[in-house]
Amino acid sequence: MKAQAPTAYGHGLSTQARNLHWLLGNLVDEVPGIHSVAVVSSDGLMLLSSDPERAEDLTPDAGADGPLGSSADLATIVSGLGSLTNGAAKLMDGGAVKQTMVAMDEGSLFVMSISDGSLLGVHATPDCDMSVIAYHMALFVGRAGHVLTPELRTELRKSMENVQ
């Protein structure tokens, strides 16, 4: 099952928030092999999701494609992996972490830094073209990074709370 483009465009969202939802929808719709996508703030809160309506109500038995079937679970995993790799980079004097990729038997997980500690996470199929996913994630980050202001992050958090 292909991830769904975000439907929480919501009336009353700013133009920048609607544009980020649109960018995420394009990432999901245009790139083959994507199960789910989440944008997470530096403090681990989900800002955007490929399926915001299902962020809280799915269980592993629900037959969903994301980790445990939940965008909230993907956001938690992305936040934890981001924290772990940032800690490793500091211990190794490696500088800033730009991207992390985990290849598994049954899928792949990509995490890319956006800005100010925010992260873009993608859960993909095992047969995905990793370079295509990484390329499109970099495009998203390039387009989203400069508009992801503290005010916009607050607006996105509130819109996710309203959907959930």
Side-chain angles (χ1 to χ4, degrees):
M1 181 175 162
K2 178 92 168 131
Q4 297 176 354
T7 56
Y9 291 102
H11 304 306
L13 288 180
S14 69
T15 300
Q16 288 179 329
R18 286 192 310 273
N19 286 344
L20 282 178
H21 280 281
W22 181 81
L23 283 172
L24 187 72
N26 276 352
L27 178 64
V28 170
D29 291 339
E30 301 291 322
V31 182
I34 291 181
H35 280 308
S36 55
V37 180
V39 175
V40 182
S41 67
S42 60
D43 54 0
L45 297 175
M46 186 164 41
L47 300 177
L48 289 171
S49 167
S50 60
D51 199 6
E53 280 85 16
R54 295 172 43 195
E56 292 295 329
D57 62 355
L58 292 179
T59 64
D61 298 319
D65 290 324
L68 296 183
S70 170
S71 297
D73 292 329
L74 177 60
T76 301
I77 293 165
V78 167
S79 179
L81 189 57
S83 180
L84 180 65
T85 54
N86 282 329
K90 285 180 186 173
L91 286 172
M92 296 180 202
D93 291 326
V97 176
K98 296 178 183 178
Q99 181 179 4
T100 303
M101 197 275 297
V102 179
M104 302 169 280
D105 287 340
E106 299 301 322
S108 297
L109 175 64
F110 302 84
V111 178
M112 191 174 284
S113 299
I114 298 177
S115 64
D116 195 28
S118 297
L119 301 166
L120 170 64
V122 171
H123 175 226
T125 61
D127 61 345
C128 71
D129 186 331
M130 293 179 188
S131 62
V132 169
I133 290 186
Y135 172 75
H136 284 279
M137 287 177 71
L139 288 177
F140 180 91
V141 165
R143 293 174 180 152
H146 68 282
V147 298
L148 206 50
T149 63
E151 296 79 18
L152 184 56
R153 284 192 297 275
T154 299
E155 179 183 359
L156 291 169
R157 280 185 199 144
K158 288 180 183 177
S159 73
M160 288 302 295
E161 290 169 4
N162 291 338
V163 170
Q164 294 173 3

